[in-house]
Structure formats: structure tokens, C-alpha cells
Amino acid sequence: QVQLVESGGELVQAGGSLRLSCAASGIIFSINAMGWYRQAPGKQRELVALIPRIGIANYADSVKGRFTISRDNAKNTVFLQMNSLKPEDTAVYYCNARGRALYGDFDSWGQGTQVTVSS
């Protein structure tokens, strides 16, 4: 199966920056979309940013102009550069990847990484 491992979450002050990384491992033939989602306490998981293998990335309105998603297809890795962080960005951030692997199509999630923005 395909496993995703995130890193980069930590405590940061408002206005600061963080860079999240997520690496996919396994016998992967291709990865179509890769994305970042987040879930704050008491709220539903929401899409933050999504990037196709080829094409333009999509962002939640709340992060446009502050966050940038990118990917390294050769390394099956996706990144999320987060600038001008706000307390409302505090959440567990999850990586998602969809594609095709040895055993068929996959839709995998990482374990999550905590981002805490203090005011």
C-alpha cells in the first residue's frame, strides 16, 4: 500500500511561516492529485490546497495569497509553504494523495501534523 508521512508542523507566532512536507512511499506507478487538508478542534476537515500532477493548483479562499502548494513528482513529495500565519490556521494538517500503485488505485492519507499559531 501507499503510505504518506508528513512533517514540519510546530508552534509558531502569528505572522510567521512554516513549510510542511509529505512524502509518499510504496510501489507507486503514478500520483494524480496531491493535497493538504486541515481539521481544527470541533470543525470538519477542510481542503486547504490541491495540486494536480499537471496543471494549476487550487486553494481555499482563506489561504489564497498566503499559502503555496508545490510538488516534486520525482520524489512523490508535496509541500505546503505557509506564510503570514494566523491563529485561525491552527489545526491538524493532513496530506492526501490519489493515484495508481502496484495493487491498484489508491487514496491515501497521512497521520497528520499539528500546526499551532499563537497570537
Side-chain angles (χ1 to χ4, degrees):
Q1 297 297 333
V2 175
Q3 293 186 331
L4 304 181
V5 178
E6 301 120 331
S7 61
E10 61 181 70
L11 172 64
V12 64
Q13 288 189 334
S17 298
L18 283 176
R19 180 178 169 89
L20 305 183
S21 300
C22 172
S25 62
I27 304 176
I28 299 169
F29 294 158
S30 63
I31 299 179
N32 299 325
M34 301 188 81
W36 288 95
Y37 295 73
R38 67 186 181 187
Q39 188 167 18
K43 295 187 177 181
Q44 291 187 331
R45 190 174 297 187
E46 63 175 359
L47 174 68
V48 175
L50 188 71
I51 184 168
R53 182 173 183 83
I54 299 174
I56 300 173
N58 293 314
Y59 296 90
D61 288 342
S62 59
V63 307
K64 283 181 181 177
R66 300 188 298 122
F67 291 9
T68 302
I69 189 171
S70 60
R71 60 188 284 177
D72 182 336
N73 291 330
K75 297 181 178 181
N76 292 329
T77 301
V78 64
F79 306 95
L80 185 68
Q81 178 66 44
M82 304 186 293
N83 299 327
S84 302
L85 282 162
K86 304 176 181 180
E88 51 262 44
D89 294 319
T90 295
V92 178
Y93 284 70
Y94 297 91
C95 172
N96 173 261
R98 286 168 271 169
R100 189 158 185 86
L102 178 64
Y103 297 105
D105 293 339
F106 68 91
D107 183 350
S108 298
W109 292 87
Q111 81 286 355
T113 185
Q114 177 70 48
V115 172
T116 303
V117 184
S118 64
S119 57

